Amino acid sequence: MKVKKISAVLAVCLCSAMLLTGCSFSDFFDKVLGNVSEPETSSSSSSSKQESAEVKTVDPTLELPAFTVDLTGTTQVTAGSVCTLSAPAAVSDGGTVTYQWYKNNVNSNGGGTIIAGAEEESYDVDTSEAGTTYYYAVATNNHGDRIAKSTSAVREITVWPLGTWQQDEVGFKYVMEDGTYPADMWIDIEGFTYHMDSEGHRAVGWYQEGDYMFYFNEGGELQRNTTTPDGHTVNENGVMIS
């Protein structure tokens, strides 16, 4: 008898609660059991609006950024050397230029991998591991939600493993553990720039390449921003200017 009375009281309470809340039977139990999802908060709604506002549209009428430095070429360095690439670009229409660097395993300025955090006009290459990697930059002209993009040329960076200087009857070579050595190239080794001839010997004294003259000291290091022993002046790139 008591059970019947309790059931009747519960039924009356449930009906009253449903009438007061205006819920259907299923809605009421959803609320009781916690199955009703919370309405979207104003902050999440605001976030969605911000994401929508950040969508950029490529505008073919905008000025394309013009790179002022040509990245084309090859750089040879040894592991751990400092190697900085620079690809400044400019626009004249009042836009803001932003950058993104990419790396690739083939000599192409398309289809590369984004380098996380490399968003300045200059980029310090990771030279911790030996191998060849190709780098390029994309410059973007930003006008509010409108953009125009340009892609730079490709720079090939070859990182050589550390080796040792070995002397023969001709001069010095930089020889790796496996017996190979850089030849017929410019290469940065432990902070200094050298030029190796076709046999792998480092240049000493004056060396001509095209229309330019360069001076290397007795240790084979390229001289910059100085006066050579014979009275000539070389600039920051090591080129003789007087």
Side-chain angles (χ1 to χ4, degrees):
M1 185 68 178
K2 287 183 179 180
V3 173
K4 289 183 178 180
K5 287 183 178 180
I6 292 172
S7 299
V9 171
L10 287 174
V12 170
C13 290
L14 287 173
C15 290
S16 299
M18 290 165 59
L19 289 172
L20 290 173
T21 59
C23 295
S24 66
F25 189 84
S26 60
D27 289 341
F28 179 80
F29 273 94
D30 281 340
K31 286 181 176 292
V32 172
L33 297 175
N35 294 331
V36 178
S37 59
E38 292 296 325
E40 185 178 57
T41 62
S42 59
S43 61
S44 62
S45 176
S46 174
S47 175
S48 298
K49 290 180 180 178
Q50 288 178 357
E51 290 178 0
S52 298
E54 292 173 356
V55 174
K56 303 283 188 176
T57 302
V58 175
D59 186 343
T61 66
L62 283 182
E63 179 184 358
L64 294 173
F67 288 98
T68 57
V69 172
D70 185 5
L71 276 185
T72 303
T74 300
T75 298
Q76 311 276 343
V77 299
T78 51
S81 296
V82 175
C83 180
T84 302
L85 299 178
S86 185
V91 293
S92 59
D93 62 356
T96 300
V97 179
T98 55
Y99 301 87
Q100 178 61 62
W101 286 87
Y102 293 77
K103 62 181 179 180
N104 213 337
N105 56 6
V106 295
N107 190 356
S108 172
N109 64 352
T113 301
I114 289 178
I115 303 174
E119 300 175 354
E120 303 294 334
E121 67 177 47
S122 295
Y123 170 64
D124 291 330
V125 176
D126 179 5
T127 61
S128 59
E129 296 184 4
T132 297
T133 307
Y134 302 88
Y135 296 88
Y136 62 93
V138 172
T140 302
N141 180 11
N142 296 269
H143 272 270
D145 61 352
R146 299 179 301 130
I147 59 173
K149 296 185 176 185
S150 292
T151 303
S152 74
V154 177
R155 188 73 174 186
E156 176 185 327
I157 304 293
T158 296
V159 179
W160 289 75
L162 291 175
T164 57
W165 289 106
Q166 295 184 15
Q167 186 176 19
D168 58 20
E169 65 278 4
V170 177
F172 284 87
K173 294 181 178 181
Y174 194 74
V175 183
M176 312 301 167
E177 289 185 357
D178 62 1
T180 61
Y181 50 84
D184 195 22
M185 67 176 65
W186 293 83
I187 184 169
D188 288 346
I189 301 174
E190 298 179 355
F192 296 100
T193 300
Y194 301 84
H195 185 272
M196 308 304 196
D197 66 17
S198 58
E199 299 299 322
H201 297 104
R202 68 191 185 194
V204 175
W206 286 104
Y207 165 73
Q208 183 171 1
E209 184 167 288
D211 296 329
Y212 303 105
M213 295 290 295
F214 303 88
Y215 186 81
F216 299 85
N217 65 14
E218 292 182 357
E221 300 160 358
L222 177 66
Q223 301 300 285
R224 309 172 190 264
N225 283 329
T226 190
T227 300
T228 63
D230 54 357
H232 293 283
T233 301
V234 291
N235 65 15
E236 68 276 8
N237 296 315
V239 176
M240 184 180 74
I241 55 177
S242 67

